[in-house]
Amino acid sequence: MRFTLTLLRRWNRPPPTPPEYQIAETTKKYANLPEKYMEDTKKLVYYRTPRGINYRPKKLNLFQNYIGVARPWSAESPQEISEADGFVPYVEPLRDWFFFRGDRVQILTGKDKGKQGIIDMVIQERNWVIIRGLNTEIVPQKDDDDAIIGYSSTERPLLVNTQVSLVDPGDLLPTEVEWSWTEEGEKVRVSKRTGRIIPMSRRNEETFQYQSKETYAENAKDTRKEDMQITFAPKLMTFEMEIAQELGIEDDRIPKKTYWY
Amino acid sequence: MVSRPLKYFGSLLHLVSTPLRSFRPASVNSKIHVFDFHSSSPRQNEEKKESLPANQSSSVQSSPSNVTAEESSPMDEFFEPKENWAKGDITVGRSWRKDDLRLKSNTDLHKLWYVLLKERNMLLTMADIYQFNILPGPERIYKVEESMKNLEDVVRERNRAYFELETGETGERRCKYELTRIGLWRLHKMQQHTIPKRLNKKWLEKYPQFIEDEQVDQFLTLYREKLLNKKKRAKVGDRKHVEELLKRFPNVDRKLLQEKYPELDIEKISQTRAAHGPHPR
């Protein structure tokens, strides 16, 4: 027997994705989708060899470790990833995250310096925040013959750590913020300067599908609230034993002696 | 989401609703006539005709193409409900979490499992029909599979609690780490056999014992060297990443970096020239 690399390939599992390129918690909350779905759509595997001993595990996919303005489940994200062309963004590691949808922030740099706006989109993977109507870039829209049809202004993202700061609701001035707990045990953001609590906006509950839980239109196959009652009663039985008892299945056979190895 | 072309609804109607009639028993709807080639005789047919009322006798002779597509049958549950056919995107709620499933009794979980199984079956058939198009609501398959996995976990949890209380063991299939013939550790999932291990020649051939050998020693040294090189390369990659971070963000939290990369000395790296580069590109 010769020990070749092809023999050993099967034992080497693919390395886990580094935390810089994983999907962040704010994105997961906004998406309200299964994690595996988002990862699969982000990966966009073109081809994968079928499972079996006669196939070498191999796949053809897009460059995975890039997250931009487009959300990973959207139809635009594969295009954006292909345009990035293997560019690795360097993201500064942050200990805490303070910026959420609907917060009032002040811009510290750029052409809109000193202006205040409301956060429309949070991209935690890149430490980015998009503010509605501010920090815009005017882009000419072109025809197939490179003739300019018109101009569109799009909001560009801003770095959280240096270009933007949260606003104290008391005096409407930018402050540094920290996490702390109230006496009731709630986790809140508190401004370091005045000690005032910065409340969460209602827009933070917004998801990809609905704006708030009340406005969500129920589907015919969704579980109703009336069906979510507690029916569990502890019994000294396994799952299979209880089901067999209910269905009236009795098994008096004596099993043969077996060996586990 | 991407909208769906309309031509597929027509093809669905053609493919789905017409062949279903052959599966439907005659007792469900008397309008449908089932030909029994094996047992039919002219006498029996005559008797049947006589027993039927005068209104329906004509429809028995008619071909199955006269039946409208609006009739529902149990086979329709394999496919998407007809209300959803014209929709470009279908939104549903979230999947069942473990905390939700823990509230439910075993019988409820048993019923829910078959509901989910049917739904998954339906979605997979629809995905097969839409293999050249985008299925509306493609995340539904993931949601169903996630909730099925959660359900299985909850059932295992309950069974484990029972067995640990009664026998002191988990009651699950046991695993153990074994040395293979070439000296690598392998997770072996135990199996049930009718004969003991020493008599099972096939098993012994399949899983040979570890024997120290010249070839194995040579292989293991080379393999360990390969792993070590991999580790070294990863460390170099980490160091370069940290240098780039320090170059781009000079005010980065050094303590956090040290926690993330415990093998590296961040203070030493920050004093090097690579960390004090020019302005980022």
Side-chain angles (χ1 to χ4, degrees), chain B:
Chain B
M1 303 299 283
V2 179
S3 60
R4 201 163 41 137
L6 272 160
K7 62 180 178 180
Y8 265 81
F9 310 135
S11 69
L12 263 178
L13 261 173
H14 174 70
L15 285 168
V16 176
S17 50
T18 44
L20 293 181
R21 283 178 218 124
S22 59
F23 295 109
R24 208 177 298 159
S27 59
V28 172
N29 199 338
S30 59
K31 279 181 182 177
I32 298 154
H33 180 62
V34 182
F35 293 99
D36 293 334
F37 294 106
H38 302 290
S39 61
S40 65
S41 65
R43 274 185 201 171
Q44 284 174 356
N45 280 339
E46 281 167 19
E47 282 167 17
K48 272 181 189 172
K49 268 186 192 175
E50 283 164 15
S51 65
L52 284 166
N55 298 334
Q56 291 182 2
S57 61
S58 62
S59 66
V60 168
Q61 289 171 351
S62 65
S63 64
S65 61
N66 287 357
V67 182
T68 52
E70 288 169 10
E71 290 166 16
S72 64
S73 87
M75 292 297 279
D76 285 343
E77 287 177 26
F78 279 104
F79 305 96
E80 193 104 53
K82 280 172 190 172
E83 306 133 30
N84 290 346
W85 285 8
K87 286 179 185 172
D89 187 23
I90 299 162
T91 54
V92 289
R94 65 169 169 79
S95 53
W96 282 80
R97 288 173 191 155
K98 279 181 192 172
D99 293 343
D100 305 329
L101 292 162
R102 279 178 192 130
L103 306 177
K104 290 289 165 190
S105 65
N106 284 340
T107 45
D108 283 354
L109 291 186
H110 191 236
K111 283 169 191 168
L112 182 64
W113 174 263
Y114 285 100
V115 170
L116 292 168
L117 195 72
K118 270 176 79 177
E119 186 69 13
R120 192 183 68 168
N121 204 349
M122 185 274 279
L123 287 168
L124 289 174
T125 44
M126 292 312 286
D128 195 53
I129 290 166
Y130 282 95
Q131 56 182 318
F132 301 115
N133 271 314
I134 292 167
L135 179 79
E139 76 279 357
R140 286 182 294 165
I141 297 171
Y142 288 84
K143 278 177 179 173
V144 168
E145 277 177 356
E146 198 188 25
S147 38
M148 280 171 97
K149 200 190 161 199
N150 285 344
L151 200 154
E152 240 174 11
D153 283 355
V154 167
V155 169
R156 276 177 77 182
E157 223 174 66
R158 286 178 187 177
N159 283 4
R160 215 181 295 139
Y162 170 82
F163 279 111
E164 275 175 358
L165 196 68
E166 292 289 296
T167 63
E169 286 176 8
T170 52
E172 287 179 2
R173 188 179 171 184
R174 271 180 280 174
C175 297
K176 68 173 180 182
Y177 279 99
E178 271 192 350
L179 259 182
T180 53
R181 173 69 183 80
I182 45 173
L184 296 175
W185 287 98
R186 175 177 67 86
L187 183 72
H188 177 62
K189 288 174 184 173
M190 290 192 175
Q191 281 179 317
Q192 212 171 12
H193 297 276
T194 49
I195 49 171
K197 196 174 174 179
R198 64 192 163 75
L199 299 174
N200 201 341
K201 278 185 185 175
K202 263 190 185 176
W203 195 88
L204 288 169
E205 275 176 18
K206 200 183 174 188
Y207 301 108
Q209 282 185 326
F210 170 65
I211 303 157
E212 264 202 278
D213 202 354
E214 208 172 282
Q215 277 187 331
V216 166
D217 274 0
Q218 200 184 356
F219 160 68
L220 282 176
T221 46
L222 288 169
Y223 185 65
R224 278 166 198 154
E225 192 190 338
K226 194 186 151 195
L227 291 182
L228 198 89
N229 284 340
K230 216 175 190 180
K231 216 183 245 181
K232 273 183 187 172
R233 234 172 283 142
K235 201 182 168 184
V236 169
D238 283 354
R239 203 194 72 219
K240 288 195 171 176
H241 186 77
V242 167
E243 279 169 4
E244 289 292 318
L245 282 178
L246 288 164
K247 206 191 278 180
R248 275 143 212 269
F249 312 105
N251 299 326
V252 70
D253 194 351
R254 306 286 163 94
K255 273 189 183 175
L256 189 71
L257 269 182
Q258 191 63 59
E259 281 168 30
K260 280 185 95 178
Y261 304 99
E263 288 186 356
L264 302 174
D265 192 355
I266 302 294
E267 281 186 20
K268 202 179 172 184
I269 293 167
S270 61
Q271 286 165 9
T272 55
R273 203 185 162 193
H276 286 288
H279 197 73
R281 283 166 274 161

Side-chain angles (χ1 to χ4, degrees), chain A residues 23-34 38 69-74 100-102 119-125 202-212, chain B residues 97 143:
Chain A
I23 295 165
E25 278 181 28
T26 50
T27 317
K28 280 178 199 167
K29 202 190 162 195
Y30 175 65
N32 202 21
L33 293 168
M38 281 195 278
V69 178
R71 301 287 72 200
W73 62 87
S74 65
F100 297 96
R101 197 176 292 268
I119 294 174
D120 218 23
M121 202 166 148
V122 179
I123 302 158
Q124 201 186 341
E125 294 88 353
R202 273 203 77 190
R203 283 200 65 200
N204 192 32
E205 293 170 14
E206 200 173 295
T207 68
F208 169 59
Q209 287 181 356
Y210 53 85
Q211 290 205 326
S212 67
Chain B
R97 288 173 191 155
K143 278 177 179 173

Side-chain angles (χ1 to χ4, degrees), chain A residues 59-73:
Chain A
K59 61 185 175 184
L60 230 172
N61 55 2
L62 215 64
F63 183 73
Q64 297 164 25
N65 297 334
Y66 182 84
I67 295 173
V69 178
R71 301 287 72 200
W73 62 87

Side-chain angles (χ1 to χ4, degrees), chain A residues 7-24:
Chain A
L7 270 174
L8 288 166
R9 196 171 285 275
R10 209 157 284 276
W11 289 316
N12 295 335
R13 286 177 188 173
T17 48
E20 289 93 32
Y21 311 122
Q22 282 171 11
I23 295 165

Side-chain angles (χ1 to χ4, degrees), chain A:
Chain A
M1 189 182 173
R2 279 176 64 215
F3 303 125
T4 51
L5 270 177
T6 44
L7 270 174
L8 288 166
R9 196 171 285 275
R10 209 157 284 276
W11 289 316
N12 295 335
R13 286 177 188 173
T17 48
E20 289 93 32
Y21 311 122
Q22 282 171 11
I23 295 165
E25 278 181 28
T26 50
T27 317
K28 280 178 199 167
K29 202 190 162 195
Y30 175 65
N32 202 21
L33 293 168
E35 245 178 79
K36 199 171 173 258
Y37 172 71
M38 281 195 278
E39 276 167 18
D40 282 11
T41 46
K42 191 164 76 88
K43 275 174 190 171
L44 200 84
V45 178
Y46 293 121
Y47 173 74
R48 183 182 273 146
T49 45
R51 287 186 74 178
I53 196 75
N54 47 349
Y55 295 105
R56 199 162 148 201
K58 207 176 178 183
K59 61 185 175 184
L60 230 172
N61 55 2
L62 215 64
F63 183 73
Q64 297 164 25
N65 297 334
Y66 182 84
I67 295 173
V69 178
R71 301 287 72 200
W73 62 87
S74 65
E76 296 92 55
S77 80
Q79 195 193 335
E80 206 188 48
I81 292 166
S82 63
E83 278 171 9
D85 198 23
F87 169 68
V88 183
Y90 287 95
V91 183
E92 186 184 353
L94 298 176
R95 199 177 281 280
D96 294 316
W97 187 261
F98 301 108
F99 296 83
F100 297 96
R101 197 176 292 268
D103 287 344
R104 184 175 284 277
V105 288
Q106 185 160 329
I107 299 176
L108 306 175
T109 53
K111 64 171 185 179
D112 290 331
K113 185 179 173 181
K115 285 183 184 174
Q116 290 187 357
I118 284 163
I119 294 174
D120 218 23
M121 202 166 148
V122 179
I123 302 158
Q124 201 186 341
E125 294 88 353
R126 298 286 298 270
N127 295 343
W128 277 350
V129 132
I130 288 172
I131 300 157
R132 188 188 290 169
L134 291 177
N135 196 38
T136 52
E137 189 184 45
I138 291 165
V139 183
Q141 287 182 331
K142 285 182 181 175
D143 205 359
D144 292 339
D145 308 327
D146 282 353
I148 293 166
I149 309 161
Y151 294 90
S152 70
S153 68
T154 52
E155 292 104 335
R156 297 303 300 157
L158 285 160
L159 272 175
V160 151
N161 214 20
T162 53
Q163 299 174 346
V164 139
S165 87
L166 279 170
V167 168
D168 194 324
D171 50 5
L172 292 175
L173 286 170
T175 52
E176 286 189 19
V177 190
E178 61 181 355
W179 284 107
S180 71
W181 283 267
T182 59
E183 288 179 356
E184 293 159 3
E186 271 183 64
K187 204 182 176 188
V188 287
R189 294 173 295 173
V190 173
S191 85
K192 277 187 183 177
R193 187 153 48 78
T194 57
R196 206 187 155 95
I197 292 170
I198 299 170
M200 272 309 184
S201 170
R202 273 203 77 190
R203 283 200 65 200
N204 192 32
E205 293 170 14
E206 200 173 295
T207 68
F208 169 59
Q209 287 181 356
Y210 53 85
Q211 290 205 326
S212 67
K213 282 176 185 175
E214 294 86 58
T215 55
Y216 172 69
E218 276 190 341
N219 198 3
K221 283 180 178 176
D222 284 342
T223 311
R224 296 286 182 279
K225 200 180 177 183
E226 299 90 69
D227 300 329
M228 286 307 296
Q229 292 162 349
I230 302 169
T231 53
F232 175 68
K235 282 180 189 173
L236 198 63
M237 274 180 184
T238 61
F239 178 82
E240 290 84 4
M241 283 153 90
E242 200 182 329
I243 297 297
Q245 199 192 40
E246 282 202 354
L247 299 175
I249 300 165
E250 286 179 14
D251 195 4
D252 300 329
R253 290 176 296 176
I254 298 159
K256 209 179 161 185
K257 199 194 174 186
T258 51
Y259 303 89
W260 281 92
Y261 51 86

